[in-house]
Amino acid sequence: MQPLYQLTAVDVRRAEEAGTSRATTITKITLPGLTFAGADHTPGGGVMAVKFAQPRLDAIEPKFEVKGLDLDVFRGLGKPDKWIFAGAYREKRPGGGGTVGARAIIQGAISVWEPDESDPAAFQGCNHTITEVTHYELVLDGVELFYIDFFENVLRVNGVDMFADDRKALGI
C-alpha cells in the first residue's frame, strides 16, 4: 500500500546563507508541477492527432507566501539565487511512520513580488514567484525524486536520466 504523507511544516531559505529561514513567517509554498513539453502531430491520413511527450520540461515557477514584509527578498529581487524549499512530512499509518524531510533546491530569480490586499487587523501577505529557473531537484527522505539542470542538460526522474541518449546522439 502507498504511504500517506501529510505536510506538517514548511520553510524557504537561501541555500548558501545561514540565518535566512522563514519558518515562522511563511504561510505556504507552491512547488511547481512538472509539465513535459510535447510535439503535436496531426497526420493527414490518420484517425487522430497525438501530442508526443518530449524529454524536456516547460518553464517552471515556484512560489511562496509570507506574512509581513520580507525585507531579505529585496536584497536580490530580480537576480538569480539558489533557494531551498523545505518540508516536513509525517507518514500516516497505523502505528505511525515517523517524520521525513523533503528538500527542493531551486536556482532562479524572485521576479514577482505581490502584496495582498490588507488592513491593520490582519497580517499582510506577500506572494513571491521565482522565474528563470535553471536548476530544480526534489529529494524526499534522502531519495532523489527528480533532478533537472538546464546548464548540465540533465533531466533525471526517479534516478533515470531521460536525456542521456539525446546527449549521446548530440556528442555532448
Side-chain angles (χ1 to χ4, degrees), residues 54-56 144 147-157 159-172:
Q54 298 264 349
R56 67 176 53 130
E144 179 186 275
Y147 178 100
I148 304 135
D149 192 286
F150 175 82
F151 294 108
E152 294 174 5
N153 232 9
V154 172
L155 167 58
R156 283 194 307 262
V157 177
V160 177
D161 189 341
M162 298 180 71
F163 206 70
D165 289 341
D166 301 84
R167 284 194 313 276
K168 183 178 178 182
L170 292 172
I172 55 175

Side-chain angles (χ1 to χ4, degrees), residues 1-9 88-100 140-141:
M1 180 171 287
Q2 292 292 321
L4 174 62
Y5 291 109
Q6 179 184 18
L7 182 65
T8 58
Y89 287 90
R90 289 192 185 178
E91 186 180 347
K92 307 303 273 186
R93 62 179 164 162
T99 301
V100 298
L140 177 67
D141 196 21

Side-chain angles (χ1 to χ4, degrees), residues 92-156:
K92 307 303 273 186
R93 62 179 164 162
T99 301
V100 298
R103 299 287 179 274
I105 299 172
I106 299 166
Q107 176 81 33
I110 295 178
S111 59
V112 177
W113 175 76
E114 183 178 10
D116 291 343
E117 181 178 298
S118 60
D119 64 65
F123 269 106
Q124 178 183 30
C126 292
N127 299 292
H128 306 81
T129 302
I130 298 177
T131 62
E132 195 182 323
V133 175
T134 57
H135 179 92
Y136 181 31
E137 62 185 275
L138 180 63
V139 174
L140 177 67
D141 196 21
V143 177
E144 179 186 275
L145 300 178
F146 59 83
Y147 178 100
I148 304 135
D149 192 286
F150 175 82
F151 294 108
E152 294 174 5
N153 232 9
V154 172
L155 167 58
R156 283 194 307 262

